[in-house]
């Protein structure tokens, strides 16, 4: 049973470009969560989605960031017009039900040059 | 979510039990205690969780005090591969905030040969 798959593992973008991070949840998991870990800091919640719906986006920056989890295909975290401060590790997690433990992927490390 | 307090770092000899404490004195009746760990450059790994009873699985044991104000994660026979940052997290029992895990600074556990 494959775990949470994130790609790419490493992503380099120049300032002003767009970054698209993909997350395929574990089989049978319909709840997806995105977290961000800035250098030398702890993980911070960004957004919680359930198929086609955003349930809680209280941790998302108000501008340039968006997330989706379509009926078919992976969840996408999109960052428009990236800035150096967006450089971080972005982790996706999934769970089969709301009250189940979250299982994390190994993250996408975004570097903005 | 209730705030948790953990020691910054701990050492343990290989083959011995590692006992990681966590204080969560403001925990509410419907909040669970979760433990995750993060090995360098990887995503957080779920270890165990509990509400008020002690729990055991193939990875660890969780001992929660009767007043639920503190808990201890026990790795019965630590190995070098258990070297990681261990996070104690208090998670609300339901609602849309259920996916919002609050990661603190955790405990850096170093297992020595």
């Amino acid at each position: 049973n494959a775990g949470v798959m994130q790609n790419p593992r490493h992503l380099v973008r120049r300032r002003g470009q767009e970054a698209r991070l993909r997350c395929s949840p574990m089989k049978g998991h319909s709840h997806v969560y995105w977290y961000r870990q800035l250098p030398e800091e702890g993980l911070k919640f960004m957004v919680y989605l359930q198929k086609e719906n955003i349930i809680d986006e209280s941790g998302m920056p108000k501008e340039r960031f968006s997330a989706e989890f379509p009926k078919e295909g992976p969840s996408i975290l999109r960052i428009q017009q990236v800035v150096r401060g967006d450089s971080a590790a972005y982790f996706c997690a999934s769970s089969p039900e709301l009250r189940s433990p979250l299982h994390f992927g190994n993250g996408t490390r975004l570097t903005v040059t | 979510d209730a705030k948790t307090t953990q020691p910054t770092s701990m050492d343990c000899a290989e083959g011995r039990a590692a006992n990681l404490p966590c204080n969560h004195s403001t925990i509410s009746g419907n909040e669970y205690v979760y433990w995750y760990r993060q090995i360098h450059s990887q995503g957080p790994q779920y270890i165990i969780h509990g509400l008020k009873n002690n729990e055991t699985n193939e990875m660890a044991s969780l001992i929660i005090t009767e007043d639920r104000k503190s808990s201890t994660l026990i790795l019965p026979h630590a190995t070098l591969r258990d070297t990681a940052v261990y996070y104690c997290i208090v998670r609300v029992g339901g609602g849309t905030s259920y996916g919002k895990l609050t990661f603190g600074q955790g405990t850096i556990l170093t297992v020595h040969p």
Side-chain angles (χ1 to χ4, degrees), chain A residues 6 13 17-18 25 31 39 45 47 50 52-54 60-61 66 68 70 74 79 82-83 88 91 95 97 104 113:
Chain A
Q6 291 189 248
R13 285 287 178 266
Q17 291 185 320
E18 178 180 288
H31 301 256
F45 167 82
V47 63
Q50 190 182 4
E52 299 185 275
N53 294 307
I54 296 174
M60 287 279 271
S66 62
E68 63 177 14
I79 312 171
V82 296
V83 301
F91 293 96
S95 67
E97 300 171 352
F104 285 80
T113 61

Side-chain angles (χ1 to χ4, degrees), chain B residues 2 4 6 8 19 36 48 50-51 53 60 70 73 87 92 108-109:
Chain B
T4 61
Q6 300 178 251
T8 302
N19 298 285
Y36 280 80
I48 199 167
L51 183 62
N53 298 321
S70 65
L73 177 74
Y87 297 100
V92 297
I108 301 170
L109 174 69

Side-chain angles (χ1 to χ4, degrees), chain A residues 37-100:
Chain A
Q37 189 168 33
L38 293 166
E40 306 304 323
E41 292 190 20
L43 287 102
K44 305 288 186 191
F45 167 82
M46 299 181 76
V47 63
Y48 160 36
L49 310 101
Q50 190 182 4
K51 278 296 184 182
E52 299 185 275
N53 294 307
I54 296 174
I55 307 300
D56 181 356
E57 57 181 345
S58 58
M60 287 279 271
K62 294 286 185 265
E63 298 177 347
R64 303 187 296 107
F65 285 72
S66 62
E68 63 177 14
F69 187 19
K71 188 176 180 181
E72 302 289 339
S75 176
I76 305 289
L77 179 68
R78 182 182 177 205
I79 312 171
Q80 295 177 289
Q81 299 175 321
V82 296
V83 301
R84 288 226 173 99
D86 297 332
S87 295
Y90 292 82
F91 293 96
C92 171
S94 71
S95 67
E97 300 171 352
L98 180 60
R99 292 176 178 272
S100 303

Side-chain angles (χ1 to χ4, degrees), chain A residues 9 33 35 37 40-45 48 55-56 58 91 95 97-107 109, chain B residues 32 34 36 38 40-46 49 87 91-105:
Chain A
R9 285 299 307 275
Y33 317 81
Y35 284 74
Q37 189 168 33
E40 306 304 323
E41 292 190 20
L43 287 102
K44 305 288 186 191
F45 167 82
Y48 160 36
I55 307 300
D56 181 356
S58 58
F91 293 96
S95 67
E97 300 171 352
L98 180 60
R99 292 176 178 272
S100 303
L102 277 60
H103 295 272
F104 285 80
N106 280 328
R109 277 144 189 85
Chain B
Y32 288 75
Y34 273 73
Y36 280 80
Q38 188 173 23
H40 182 62
S41 297
Q42 296 182 21
Q45 178 187 22
Y46 166 75
H49 75 282
Y87 297 100
R91 187 183 188 190
V92 297
T96 57
S97 296
Y98 200 65
K100 191 187 301 183
L101 301 179
T102 301
F103 287 82
Q105 294 305 306

